[in-house]
Structures are given as C-alpha cells and as structure tokens.
Amino acid sequence: MRMFVLPCLAVCVALAHCGGAVEDKNAEGDGKTVEKRGLHLGDYHHYQPHHEHIKTVTIEKKIPVPYTVTKHVPYTVEKKIPYEVKVDVPQPYIVEKKVPVHVKEYVKVPVHVPKPYEVIKKIPYEVKVPVDKPYEVKVPVPQPYEVIKKIPYEVKVPVPQPYEVIKKVPHEVKVEVPVPKPYEVIKKVPYEVKYEVEKPYDVEVPKPYDVEVEKPYTVVVEKKVPYEVKVPVDKPYKVEVEKPYPVHVKVPVPQPYTVEKKVPYTVEKPVPYEVKVPIEKPIPVYTEVKVPIHKEIPVPEKYHVEVPIFKHHHEDHHEHHDYHSHGHGHY
C-alpha cells in the first residue's frame, strides 16, 4: 500500500509545481497531452468563469487475463502397415459349396370324410339329336381357285476355293507354376526311441477272497387261469333297419339308358396232361457206336541229295582245250 501512495504524492507535487507552464501551453492551443512516468494528463478547459483548473489523472494498470496457450505434446500414433502372410494352401484346393436340395416331407393331415360317403358316378348314355339327312353344306370357294405348287430349283452358293476348314487340334500347353527354391520337402523318417525302463518291479496282486453266494429262494409266479364269465344278456331285440329309399339320379334328358352289369361266366382253359398210350411190342432203338478205323498217313522221309560242285575258270579252260584236242569238237 505504501508503495502505491508515495508515487501518487510525488506526482501531485510535480503537477502543482508545473501548473503555470502547462497553463501557458494550453493557452497557445496546442492541445497536447503530457505523459510522465506512465501517467496521462488530460486537457485543461475553462468551463467556468471563475478560472478553476480541473485535473484529470488516468492510471493504466495491467491486469493479468487468462488466455489459452496451445502446447505441442508428442504422442504415439499406431499405423497399420499391410504385409504379406504366407498360408499353406493344399493343392488341389477343396471348395465346399452349399447346394440347396429340395426334400419332400409327407405330413399326415387328418381329412374329414362325411359318412355316408357320397359317390358320384358318371354313366354315359345316348342322346339323340334330330338332324336332317342329308343336308347341304356350302363352302365358299374363290373363282379362279389359286393352287400353290412348290417347284424345287437349284440355288448356287458361292464357295471359296480352296475351302477353309477350321479344325480344333488339342495341343499341350505348358504353364509355369512358381515353385519356391529350394523347395521344402517334409519327410517322416522313423527312428528308434529308447526309453529307460527300470528293472522288473513287484506288483501286488490281491489274493482270492470269499464271495458270498445267495442260495436260491422261492419266487411266487402268478398264473392266469381262464374261466367262464356269464354275462346276463336280454332276449333278442329288434334292430331298426332303414328300408331301401329312392335315390334320384340327375339325368338331363329322362330317357332309358343302358346299364352295364357284370355277369360271371365260365371260361375254358386248356390244361396239358399226360396221356399214356399202350405199346404191344418193344420198339428197337438205334444208337451210334464209334468204331476205330486205321488210316495210313504219309510221313516225310529224309534222304541225301548230291549237290554239284563248280570249278574255277582256269581249270575250265584247260578242260575245254583238252576236249578240242581230242577231236570231240568236230562232227
């Protein structure tokens, strides 16, 4: 509080001391404000005729006002990064597809049947319609009458020569299947596994013990014996039976009609049966008997055949010369 009062007193003394100088300046018409030590001095006007001086003191005081301050705070942000996941897919791949199947299910529904049950039977009967015989029927025929006759004729179709025939020939197409290298092959190899087993150990076996067996006991069995039960019945009583009553058949034309009635009749059916014929003398029966017959079959026989031997050319020349020297070559 003291720090605030002391400066105010000092300001008041300074204003009283400098009042003449300020009044002279106001008379000149400058109209300026003097600021000293953060104080604003207002203008002095002569509002009254008594020449009174009014002093205006404006004090600016800084008051802290709250305001928002944005502060950058780092925080972790999770970001999803896609990566390839290799899944073993069996080949061929089994695809299960659900196919709807219509299944008929029979449900027994009780149906009310009236008794007595009415049966409507259709009986054919002849209906005679009066028709004039013979009667004339007029058919309109245009004159002259047009007759359409189909005449076959040759139609020439241009065919390119040579004629191109497209034939589908199957051929092998090799498709490269990407296989990882080196290819991993999992092979199950059996191997012997040795387990450490302790030496034979004693096993406690319970000794045989006594078992109580119940002796047979008597069982009561009920046996059903049929016997006659006499029920008092009154004498025969009358039962009312409805007499045959007329049934009206709906016939459009009341005329006599034919009624088919099934009449049983006998039908002769041939049945085969054995007939024994007496034979006086025994009949000879001829049978075929196979008799062996000797037949000569020619057998090929091997024999030796001499083959001619041909000599060389110079030997033949000498023999020919000797033949002519002896005179065999002349007649």
Side-chain angles (χ1 to χ4, degrees):
M1 190 65 184
R2 292 177 182 178
M3 297 295 291
F4 181 75
V5 173
L6 292 176
C8 291
L9 294 175
V11 170
C12 293
V13 173
L15 290 175
H17 185 270
C18 301
V22 174
E23 186 177 358
D24 295 336
K25 291 180 180 180
N26 291 333
E28 293 176 1
D30 294 336
K32 296 181 180 179
T33 57
V34 180
E35 294 182 0
K36 293 183 178 181
R37 297 181 183 180
L39 298 176
H40 177 72
L41 300 178
D43 297 334
Y44 296 97
H45 302 282
H46 301 279
Y47 295 101
Q48 298 179 3
H50 298 285
H51 304 284
E52 292 182 359
H53 298 284
I54 299 173
K55 298 179 181 180
T56 304
V57 179
T58 305
I59 300 172
E60 294 180 359
K61 185 178 180 182
K62 294 182 179 180
I63 300 173
V65 179
Y67 63 95
T68 58
V69 179
T70 57
K71 184 179 181 183
H72 180 70
V73 180
Y75 62 95
T76 58
V77 180
E78 294 182 356
K79 185 178 180 182
K80 293 182 180 180
I81 301 174
Y83 63 95
E84 184 180 1
V85 180
K86 293 183 178 180
V87 182
D88 294 336
V89 179
Q91 297 293 337
Y93 183 70
I94 301 173
V95 179
E96 294 181 355
K97 183 179 179 182
K98 292 183 179 181
V99 180
V101 180
H102 297 284
V103 180
K104 288 185 178 181
E105 184 177 356
Y106 297 95
V107 180
K108 292 183 179 181
V109 180
V111 180
H112 176 68
V113 179
K115 293 183 181 180
Y117 184 70
E118 182 182 359
V119 179
I120 298 173
K121 184 177 181 182
K122 294 181 180 180
I123 302 173
Y125 61 93
E126 185 181 0
V127 179
K128 291 183 180 181
V129 180
V131 179
D132 297 335
K133 294 182 180 181
Y135 61 93
E136 185 181 1
V137 179
K138 290 183 179 182
V139 179
V141 179
Q143 296 295 336
Y145 184 70
E146 183 182 0
V147 179
I148 298 172
K149 184 179 180 182
K150 293 181 180 180
I151 301 173
Y153 63 94
E154 185 180 0
V155 180
K156 292 183 180 181
V157 181
V159 180
Q161 296 295 337
Y163 183 70
E164 183 181 359
V165 179
I166 298 172
K167 183 179 179 182
K168 292 183 180 180
V169 181
H171 61 93
E172 185 180 359
V173 179
K174 293 183 180 180
V175 180
E176 293 185 0
V177 179
V179 180
K181 293 182 181 181
Y183 184 71
E184 183 180 359
V185 180
I186 299 173
K187 185 178 179 182
K188 293 181 180 181
V189 180
Y191 62 94
E192 185 181 1
V193 180
K194 293 183 179 180
Y195 296 97
E196 294 183 358
V197 181
E198 298 180 358
K199 292 182 179 181
Y201 56 90
D202 297 336
V203 179
E204 294 183 359
V205 180
K207 294 180 180 180
Y209 56 89
D210 298 336
V211 179
E212 294 182 359
V213 180
E214 297 181 357
K215 294 180 180 181
Y217 56 91
T218 57
V219 179
V220 179
V221 180
E222 294 181 355
K223 187 177 181 182
K224 294 180 180 181
V225 180
Y227 62 94
E228 186 181 359
V229 178
K230 291 182 181 182
V231 180
V233 181
D234 297 337
K235 291 180 179 183
Y237 56 93
K238 292 181 181 182
V239 179
E240 293 182 359
V241 180
E242 295 180 358
K243 293 180 180 181
Y245 56 92
V247 179
H248 298 283
V249 180
K250 294 180 181 181
V251 180
V253 181
Q255 292 182 1
Y257 55 89
T258 58
V259 179
E260 295 180 358
K261 184 179 180 181
K262 293 182 180 180
V263 179
Y265 61 95
T266 58
V267 180
E268 293 183 358
K269 184 178 179 182
V271 180
Y273 60 93
E274 185 180 1
V275 179
K276 292 183 179 181
V277 180
I279 300 173
E280 296 178 357
K281 295 180 181 180
I283 300 173
V285 179
Y286 299 97
T287 58
E288 293 182 358
V289 179
K290 294 182 180 181
V291 180
I293 300 173
H294 296 283
K295 184 180 180 181
E296 294 182 358
I297 299 173
V299 179
E301 184 179 354
K302 295 180 181 181
Y303 57 91
H304 182 68
V305 179
E306 294 182 357
V307 181
I309 300 172
F310 299 97
K311 296 181 180 180
H312 296 287
H313 180 69
H314 62 275
E315 294 180 358
D316 295 340
H317 181 71
H318 287 296
E319 289 180 359
H320 184 70
H321 181 71
D322 294 339
Y323 180 75
H324 286 283
S325 62
H326 289 292
H328 293 287
H330 302 277
Y331 293 98

